[in-house]
Amino acid sequence: MINKYLDISFYTKNELFKNSVFGIITNILQNLLLSIFFILVARHYSTEDFGNYIISNTIYSFILGFSTLGLGNWFIRELINSIEKDKLINQFLKIQIIIGIIFLVINNLVAYSLYDNETIRYLSLIFGFNIVFDNIIYVIKYINIANGEQHKSFVLTTIESILKLALAGLLLITKINIEVLCILLISIRLITLILFIKLNSTNKIQLKEIAKLNLSYNEIKNIVKNNWAFIIIGSISIINWRIGNIFVSKYLKLKDVVNYEISFKLLSIIYIIPIIISNTVYPILVKKINSSIIELKKTYRNIFILYSLFGLLSYTLIYTYADKLIPYLFGNKYLDTAQYCKEMFLVILIFPTLFLQANLLVAMRLEKVDMICNLVSLSINVICCAIGLLYFNTLTVVNYAIFLSFLFFHVIQDFVLIKNKISTIKDTLIFYISIIVGVLIFQLSSEFLFHKLTFIIFWLIIILLTILKLKKLTFLKPI
């Protein structure tokens, strides 16, 4: 059986493996290209122009997070189960276009309300058109996810990153004012949209048919009304990740703001990996629920184990190398940042499995439970930050508040899955005990041995134990 896992063709035929690995590789490439683009733009423009660009882009990014109403997972679930797939796609696409236009207006109102700077207002107006484009691309991306064709989305977004880098390269040989740069960026996004529409072969997108489609206000209202939990989940998720920035900027020093941003940047690079994999896992969970609960439990349990190992690997990696990695990337003036980064990375121990369980709850049509989990998590985060900062003027309070909020989130999910007989008390206790014992052993060993030696020995033992259990894994069977 082990020979099967050593066969390359076995992996290339596997939907979960192929889409996940392809997504991770292209995401790393995109991050690299966009980082270079960011550096070139920062170097080319004056502080004022670059600052206006950042503020306008931040407003757009924040509004964009709300514009889709978080209905992606609902759409995948309905698309998989729907007989009239084309009709559902056209309805959802028209809804997203209408909502995109509404949030385009909101984006401009926010910019005009908060800032008197005409450049910021103008750039916000330009970036605002991205919201409509992004909402259409959002629908096509989720069609690709439902059809197991995420590679199409990955290729196109990588092409977009290359075009942006090429645009930034022009700055090295010619002068482009910031307004023209933003217009060119919007043009690149429009090209990406056209490519998404043209290359979406499984379910053809016909904009003319969508324009002709009669979609009443009551139909839109009913879809939103029946799925309001998704809207709240999406909104809270955005707020939950950003609330730390608000507390740090309001109540701590400027240096703490920088420490937080650097730590969060590294965390965001890591946690995107389980999110990418989950885009492939979610449709599989939906299909398993409709076919076999036994297979669902096996799939969930084995993916849960891999997510747990990924979380532990990420934490131990940062714990081992943060002290040298951060000064190397950002300079010696950020030597103190490593400790705060290690604190923030506690959340990666539970975030991958938390995200998996959230997807499972939605696949089981328990999105209202997921919404309650998000509300509880946000409340705990805010309360812990508010009370903690009254007594301790340190970034550590914010980092531990984030960890505790996600821990409670995870525990509530565990309770619900145990109640629904997807998980067991035994499996849940083994997970928490294993994580706690593993982290404590690793940290204590690091005190007596070299960090790198501890990391190598620790993971050699885990790899050995994983190989011994390999025959029991079933997640790699072709779906």
Side-chain angles (χ1 to χ4, degrees):
M1 183 174 180
I2 292 179
N3 290 334
K4 177 176 66 175
Y5 297 118
L6 299 177
D7 184 0
I8 297 298
S9 64
F10 173 74
Y11 293 99
T12 58
K13 294 178 182 177
N14 183 268
E15 180 183 317
L16 174 58
F17 183 86
K18 182 172 62 177
N19 280 315
S20 299
V21 170
F22 198 87
I24 291 169
I25 292 173
T26 53
N27 188 267
I28 292 172
L29 177 60
Q30 289 167 36
N31 274 324
L32 177 62
L33 295 174
L34 292 176
S35 296
I36 298 173
F37 166 82
F38 187 83
I39 292 169
L40 291 175
V41 172
R43 287 177 176 273
H44 180 79
Y45 291 101
S46 66
T47 303
E48 182 180 357
D49 280 343
F50 186 63
N52 292 336
Y53 168 85
I54 290 294
I55 292 171
S56 305
N57 193 54
T58 300
I59 295 171
Y60 144 72
S61 300
F62 187 75
I63 298 298
L64 179 65
F66 296 94
S67 68
T68 60
L69 302 182
L71 293 173
N73 282 344
W74 165 81
F75 175 63
I76 289 175
R77 191 178 68 193
E78 296 302 312
L79 187 61
I80 290 173
N81 297 320
S82 175
I83 298 175
E84 299 180 294
K85 296 185 186 298
D86 289 341
K87 181 180 178 181
L88 175 63
I89 289 170
N90 289 340
Q91 285 181 333
F92 188 55
L93 191 49
K94 188 156 190 175
I95 289 172
Q96 287 297 324
I97 292 172
I98 293 171
I99 294 171
I101 294 171
I102 293 172
F103 276 90
L104 163 61
V105 175
I106 293 174
N107 179 81
N108 294 329
L109 289 175
V110 170
Y112 273 75
S113 299
L114 295 179
Y115 300 97
D116 296 326
N117 188 311
E118 289 300 323
T119 302
I120 292 176
R121 290 179 172 181
Y122 181 68
L123 295 182
S124 295
L125 175 63
I126 297 172
F127 277 125
F129 287 100
N130 253 347
I131 296 175
V132 181
F133 299 159
D134 287 348
N135 276 25
I136 299 174
I137 291 174
Y138 175 83
V139 176
I140 301 174
K141 280 184 176 180
Y142 274 84
I143 293 173
N144 290 339
I145 291 171
N147 293 327
E149 298 176 335
Q150 293 95 308
H151 59 278
K152 293 181 180 179
S153 301
F154 297 143
V155 169
L156 293 176
T157 50
T158 302
I159 291 173
E160 181 183 27
S161 301
I162 294 171
L163 291 174
K164 285 184 176 180
L165 182 60
L167 175 59
L170 288 177
L171 299 177
L172 300 175
I173 59 177
T174 185
K175 290 185 178 180
I176 302 175
N177 67 48
I178 195 68
E179 290 86 356
V180 173
L181 176 75
C182 293
I183 292 173
L184 292 174
L185 286 173
I186 292 296
S187 301
I188 290 174
R189 194 59 170 164
L190 180 58
I191 292 171
T192 305
L193 170 59
I194 294 171
L195 290 174
F196 262 96
I197 294 174
K198 293 292 184 182
L199 298 179
N200 183 55
S201 57
T202 304
N203 297 95
K204 289 292 185 181
I205 302 296
Q206 299 290 341
L207 293 179
K208 290 182 180 179
E209 293 297 322
I210 294 167
K212 295 177 183 177
L213 179 68
N214 283 325
L215 192 63
S216 66
Y217 168 76
N218 286 332
E219 286 180 294
I220 298 175
K221 185 179 73 172
N222 288 335
I223 291 176
V224 173
K225 181 180 178 182
N226 293 334
N227 299 283
W228 57 271
F230 287 102
I231 301 172
I232 294 177
I233 290 169
S235 302
I236 293 175
S237 177
I238 295 168
I239 297 170
N240 214 359
W241 281 116
R242 295 179 182 272
I243 195 71
N245 301 68
I246 297 172
F247 276 105
V248 174
S249 61
K250 286 288 185 181
Y251 300 107
L252 297 177
K253 300 175 183 177
L254 183 60
K255 186 178 180 180
D256 290 313
V257 174
V258 176
N259 287 337
Y260 183 90
E261 287 299 324
I262 291 175
S263 302
F264 185 75
K265 180 65 175 177
L266 292 175
L267 178 66
S268 62
I269 292 172
I270 297 296
Y271 78 58
I272 196 65
I273 294 176
I275 291 177
I276 291 171
I277 297 174
S278 292
N279 285 338
T280 302
V281 170
Y282 177 71
I284 294 173
L285 295 177
V286 173
K287 293 173 185 176
K288 295 292 184 183
I289 287 174
N290 295 330
S291 60
S292 171
I293 294 297
I294 294 175
E295 285 298 315
L296 171 68
K297 291 179 181 179
K298 288 181 180 178
T299 302
Y300 162 72
R301 182 169 60 250
N302 291 318
I303 295 174
F304 186 97
I305 292 171
L306 290 184
Y307 275 24
S308 302
L309 291 173
F310 174 81
L312 186 60
L313 173 63
S314 301
Y315 176 77
T316 53
L317 192 66
I318 286 297
Y319 193 89
T320 302
Y321 294 103
D323 291 306
K324 292 187 177 180
L325 178 65
I326 292 176
Y328 176 78
L329 292 176
F330 301 98
N332 289 330
K333 58 183 176 181
Y334 297 113
L335 286 171
D336 297 337
T337 307
Q339 179 57 39
Y340 298 114
C341 185
K342 293 176 187 178
E343 294 171 357
M344 183 176 286
F345 260 77
L346 281 170
V347 77
I348 203 65
L349 292 168
I350 54 176
F351 178 79
T353 51
L354 180 149
F355 200 78
L356 170 65
Q357 294 187 158
N359 278 342
L360 179 57
L361 291 176
V362 174
M364 295 168 63
R365 298 184 181 274
L366 296 174
E367 56 267 15
K368 290 183 180 178
V369 174
D370 188 40
M371 178 196 69
I372 292 171
C373 292
N374 274 276
L375 285 169
V376 171
S377 177
L378 177 60
S379 300
I380 291 173
N381 195 353
V382 172
I383 291 170
C384 289
C385 282
I387 295 176
L389 290 172
L390 286 176
Y391 298 96
F392 306 99
N393 192 30
T394 172
L395 181 56
T396 299
V397 169
V398 178
N399 288 332
Y400 283 135
I402 294 172
F403 174 71
L404 287 174
S405 68
F406 278 100
L407 178 60
F408 274 89
F409 196 150
H410 204 293
V411 170
I412 298 173
Q413 289 177 331
D414 292 326
F415 176 79
V416 174
L417 293 176
I418 291 170
K419 186 178 179 180
N420 284 273
K421 298 181 180 180
I422 301 296
S423 184
T424 65
I425 295 176
K426 178 183 176 182
D427 289 339
T428 303
L429 289 176
I430 288 174
F431 167 69
Y432 287 112
I433 292 172
S434 299
I435 292 296
I436 293 170
V437 172
V439 169
L440 288 176
I441 289 175
F442 184 82
Q443 290 183 349
L444 290 174
S445 300
S446 296
E447 295 295 322
F448 300 100
L449 300 172
F450 291 113
H451 276 24
K452 293 181 181 178
L453 182 60
T454 301
F455 181 82
I456 293 170
I457 294 174
F458 184 82
W459 281 101
L460 281 175
I461 294 172
I462 289 182
I463 290 170
L464 178 62
L465 293 174
T466 301
I467 291 174
L468 293 176
K469 294 289 184 180
L470 186 61
K471 291 185 179 182
K472 296 182 180 181
L473 293 179
T474 58
F475 84 100
L476 286 173
K477 291 181 179 179
I479 304 301

